Each structure stands twice: as structure tokens, then as C-alpha cells.
Amino acid sequence: MIGARLKQARLLAGMTQRELARELGETGFNISAAAISKYEKEKSFPTARFWLTASNVLGVPITYLMHQPSRPVEWIGFRCRARLSETARKLIKAYAADRADAQSELRDLLYPETDYDFPSIPVSSLKDAECAAEQLREIWNVGDRPLDNLVQLAEDREVIVINWADKTGLFDGLSGWCADRPVTVVNSQFPLDRRRITLAHEIGHLVMDTSISADDDEALAFRFAAALLAPADHVFRELPDKSYYLNWDELKLLKRKYGLSMSAWVRRAYDLNMISYSTYKAMNIEYKSLGWHKGEPVQYIGDEEPLLLKQMAGRAIAEGLIAPDKFSHLQLSDADSDEDYLPRGDYPSASDLLEMDQEDRQRWIGQMFRWAEDVDFEVFEAYGEEEF
């Protein structure tokens, strides 16, 4: 397993075995790519000097290389464009497996008594996929409301959610299992509405048992995702008597309400037999002619950032359960900066602050003071009680 850890660190650094050998050679440690291959396959074992040098070259603590991950990830779905290189695919999987293992380890450490059972719902048709989404809503006890923060909801239900920033646009999403815990990976460079349906799509792959289905797994997952974000009852209520056409201005408002793209709403109406295929086709042609396939005219505003890993790591360090540098290679302090917590200008109200736990409240108050350092305020004379 130590060999697998070395390979994972190399992939995270974006290096081939030959490149790692060259980088080590530049530090004065001469080694061949073939020798590194043997180390990774555990056909031979490196010296202590190798580990120390490799940790510096790869940018990970020595404890990371010596730690044996006990929770390998079994990937079940990988959505990307064919042009995404095999090297990039391996890097994404290595990055996600590393964070999934860390989050699972922290879960076991902080909540050892948690009994977790992720649902598995048999699905054999598109109609079943629709029902599976409704059933998951019931299991997760979210009622009949729009899902404002899907990431938070998923993390609260033990789903490991990982962001991967792929600026090429070639990567969409990834899902798998880390031991018995579901893992999802989403491209954080996409607009929020696309990230939401991608996450819902990957959750669909994890929830649905499609072993007896003749339908395409991707089609089932997309149907599940749309139904999870916009249940059929909602669609019929929001779009009554729309058998001939849909109003784009109305779809703009629905996107802002449900976090589901305008194009997905058109598809949703078609899937539920609310519009004909000819109408669906005509609307898609108009949609593309307006250039909206490159960017829709309205954006969904929300907060869809995974925070659980950072929160658990901070708690484990504060309670002395792990060393402060144990997960330093994950760069948790930089991944979710205070300024990225909410859009600038979307600050919590006084009542919001009172409802927060003490740690979050102090964090926000401290951030507000930092934001106010360079602001020029008007000076007002103080009022006494007699003025009121």
C-alpha cells in the first residue's frame, strides 16, 4: 500500500515516473524511472533517504507517503469529453481519492458510533428514475421544497462532495465508493446550475441500482437529477397549461428559484409530456440561435461549496486528535477562503449571526472587521438616551 501512496502523490504532482526521476536527480538523488516503477508496484522498497527527498520534490509531508490508505475508492462513473487525456483522468481520480480517504478517516475518528446506510433503489426505467428521486427526497426528509444548497444537503447525508477545478471544460463529474461512503466529484469551474445538476446526476448513479434496466445509465441519471431538483408536482404547478410553448422569461425566474438551467426546464417539460417533440426541438433551436448554449442570460445565485472536510479537519486538530500537518497537503486553509464563503455583499444579518454556532459567528465577525479596515465611514455624533 505504501507503493500505491507513492504513485498517488506522484499523480497529484502531475508527474510521470520519468519526470519524478529527473526531479530527484536534480536534488542529487540519482534514480531511474524503472526503479520508481518497482517501488510503486512494491517489487522493491526504497530507503529512508528516498522518502525524505521524494516528499520534498512531491510537496507532501513524509507522513503522507508513509501513511497507508485503508479506504480505496471504487469509481463507478466518469463523465468527461473524449479529449480529456488519460493523465488528466488519473490526476482527477488521485486527487479525489486522497480527499475521500481523508474525509472518511475524519468521519471514523470524530463519529465512530455513526451507523450509516446509504439507500439503494432498484430502477428499471425512466419512470423508475423519477420515482427514485422522489423516494430519496422522502428518505432525506427534505419535503416538497426547492433544494437551496444541494452540496450541504448531500454532505449532511454522508455524501463526500469534492470540487475539481477543470478550466478546460472537458471534465463534468465523477462518482464512486470509498469503503461504504458515496463519493462525488464536480467541476467547480462550471456555473452553479450546472454544478447542481452534475452533483444530482452523480448522486443518481450512487442511489440507483440499474442492474435490471435496459435503459442507458446516463439517461437514467439525468432523469433522476432533474426530478430531484424539480419534482414533477412542482413542474406541473409552475407550468400549468403549457402544452404548446414555454415562455423564456418565465423559465428565467424558475432557474433562479430552483437552480435548474433554462434548457433543463425545457427538457423537463418534454419528459413530462407537457410539450411535444416539435415544440421541444423548436425551443432548442431558438435557444441556440440566441447564443444561450454558451451562457444563459440569468445566473443562479447560491452557495454550493463543500465545507465538511475543512470543518472536520479543524475540529480534529483543535481537539488534539490529529497533528496540525497531517492534512497540510490538502491545502484546506486555502481551498475555501473567507472571502469566497459568500458573494461579496451577501452578508449575514444580525439574526443570522445569532443563529450560527460560536465558531462560525466569530469567523464572520472577524471577516467583517477585515473588510471594514479600508472603508471610510461617516462620523456621527453619539446620541444619549434622552434623545429617544
Side-chain angles (χ1 to χ4, degrees), residues 240-252:
D241 301 323
K242 299 293 183 181
S243 58
Y244 60 95
Y245 207 71
L246 303 178
N247 181 279
W248 289 118
D249 288 334
E250 193 171 10
L251 297 184
K252 292 175 186 178

Side-chain angles (χ1 to χ4, degrees), residues 141-154:
N141 193 29
V142 294
D144 195 34
R145 60 180 175 82
L147 304 179
D148 297 330
N149 191 325
L150 184 59
V151 169
Q152 180 179 323
L153 173 64

